[in-house]
Amino acid sequence: MAAVFLDFGSVTRGDMDCTALEQAISPWQFYDETDPGRVAERIKDADVVVCNKFSMTREIITGANRLKLICIAATGYNNVDLTTAAERNIPVCNVRGYATPSVVQHVFMLMLNLSCNFESYRQLVKDGRWQASRHFCPLDFNIEELSGKVLGIIGYGELGQAVSMVAAAFGMQVLVAEHKGQPVRTGRTPFDDVLQRADFITLHCPLLDDTRDLIGQRELNLMKSTAFLINTARGAIVNEADLLDALTTGRIAGAGLDVLPKEPPTHDNRLLQYQQPNLIITPHVAWASRESRQRLLNQIADNIRNFFHSKPFNQVTIDTH
């Protein structure tokens, strides 16, 4: 039994323990990345293929005669042709819940940096302005506490619920948004009300047809001028042009983004050109703590082991009818 990881470089910087993978199946071939022109050669003898963002197309899947299982090193599975896999009776599995502590930590890192004007104060020290100050404590930039602030959560799955728990520890009031335009369930707040009342909005919903551009000009105009938007979900949930306009005009106080619609972004991306400290952009690393990436690999190993022992595993399916 042989296994191939097509884009191992996307989940490791040489700091991962692969023991669990090697115990689940052997031998392994680990490739940092794979050019589409070489994939047929690399998986022709593989029983198991693991990929993160690499596209498993119909042509690739049908050409892999020995393939028994496709493992996605992520939760999203839009990079795999599930229809072809089902036609070939090749199960596809993903990993789930592995990055929750890492993402939650990143959400609050962004919130704290923005509310404390961290970048501006850091630059003040680097520029020598503290050293030249008449006072021991220069108060050049506003600092706000999270305690007492209202946090609006859009998307209340595992990540949204985990963020809510940490927010309570900070003394924040949490509002959970109902789906846009839907009847309000117990424990939820109408979508527009959350936008109007929250001091921070954090997004934790998947990218679907009805969540693409979920936050655009209309929604940004509903927010307080002192509010911050946090997005560690998917870039296309927020309309880039509308967000840039809201930041430029002071319609909202700021934003912290870990995701953009196109990744990696191009050098001329409009948000990357915006250089003011009220926008923080990180390169899709909210999930990427060392512990999170290790849990990811260990869960892949569990999926492989359970598959070959006819036990439940994280199989993803589609309706082929």
Side-chain angles (χ1 to χ4, degrees):
M1 304 291 281
V4 173
F5 203 133
L6 292 173
D7 47 1
F8 190 50
S10 65
V11 300
T12 183
R13 52 190 298 268
D15 55 349
M16 293 291 94
D17 181 355
C18 294
T19 301
L21 290 173
E22 292 164 348
Q23 289 175 344
I25 189 173
S26 185
W28 277 89
Q29 285 290 333
F30 295 97
Y31 299 102
D32 279 350
E33 57 185 77
T34 296
D35 184 277
R38 301 197 63 187
V39 65
E41 166 200 346
R42 290 184 172 181
I43 70 172
K44 63 183 177 65
D45 296 321
D47 299 281
V48 174
V49 168
V50 182
C51 60
N52 184 0
K53 301 301 182 211
F54 186 88
S55 294
M56 293 292 291
T57 63
R58 170 176 287 273
E59 180 182 8
I60 290 171
I61 295 171
T62 55
N65 294 325
R66 290 184 51 177
L67 192 55
K68 299 178 178 64
L69 178 68
I70 298 172
C71 296
I72 306 168
T75 302
Y77 44 83
N78 59 305
N79 57 313
V80 175
D81 186 333
L82 297 181
T83 300
T84 301
E87 291 171 356
R88 294 285 311 282
N89 293 316
I90 300 171
V92 178
C93 60
N94 65 352
V95 287
R96 305 169 189 175
Y98 66 95
T100 300
S102 184
V103 173
V104 172
Q105 176 175 288
H106 201 91
V107 167
F108 282 92
M109 180 193 73
L110 293 172
M111 290 171 60
L112 289 165
N113 271 272
L114 289 165
S115 62
C116 295
N117 265 300
F118 176 83
E119 282 297 324
S120 295
Y121 275 113
R122 183 169 177 266
Q123 191 63 45
L124 181 147
V125 175
K126 293 175 69 175
D127 291 345
R129 285 179 284 157
W130 185 23
Q131 299 87 316
S133 174
R134 293 183 179 183
H135 304 287
F136 80 99
C137 169
L139 299 175
D140 293 43
F141 310 104
N142 189 45
I143 297 173
E144 295 282 344
E145 297 177 354
L146 297 188
S147 179
K149 298 296 190 298
V150 177
L151 175 63
I153 300 178
I154 298 177
Y156 202 58
E158 178 172 333
L159 284 170
Q161 293 174 42
V163 166
S164 176
M165 292 176 61
V166 176
F170 272 104
M172 303 183 80
Q173 177 188 351
V174 173
L175 299 178
V176 179
E178 184 53 85
H179 293 301
K180 191 174 182 178
Q182 296 299 311
V184 180
R185 292 167 286 174
T186 302
R188 305 292 177 103
T189 301
F191 184 85
D192 285 0
D193 288 5
V194 171
L195 293 173
Q196 293 171 328
R197 295 169 57 186
D199 299 296
F200 293 86
I201 296 288
T202 182
L203 306 177
H204 300 288
C205 46
L207 179 60
L208 305 169
D209 288 343
D210 58 357
T211 61
R212 186 175 297 276
D213 288 337
L214 181 70
I215 305 297
Q217 182 181 43
R218 172 189 172 277
E219 291 72 29
L220 291 162
N221 285 340
L222 289 174
M223 292 173 61
K224 297 178 181 179
S225 62
T226 55
F228 296 95
L229 176 68
I230 308 295
N231 187 11
T232 57
R234 289 292 182 267
I237 294 172
V238 178
N239 183 288
E240 271 192 347
D242 292 343
L243 175 59
L244 180 59
D245 182 66
L247 292 169
T248 304
T249 61
R251 186 64 202 82
I252 65 171
L257 311 177
D258 186 55
V259 287
L260 293 174
K262 176 178 172 54
E263 298 176 347
T266 56
H267 289 289
D268 60 354
N269 178 282
R270 290 173 291 182
L271 288 175
L272 294 181
Q273 302 303 310
Y274 181 83
Q275 295 297 310
Q276 298 305 310
N278 66 334
L279 173 63
I280 300 174
I281 299 177
T282 53
H284 204 142
V285 292
W287 69 279
S289 70
R290 179 181 56 80
E291 295 88 347
S292 172
R293 290 179 288 115
Q294 190 64 60
R295 286 191 293 268
L296 178 147
L297 294 185
N298 292 346
Q299 195 175 136
I300 292 171
D302 288 341
N303 280 336
I304 295 170
R305 185 183 302 108
N306 289 343
F307 168 71
F308 282 112
H309 287 84
S310 300
K311 296 180 179 179
F313 61 101
N314 293 340
Q315 184 171 3
V316 296
T317 59
I318 59 169
D319 184 359
T320 58
H321 300 289

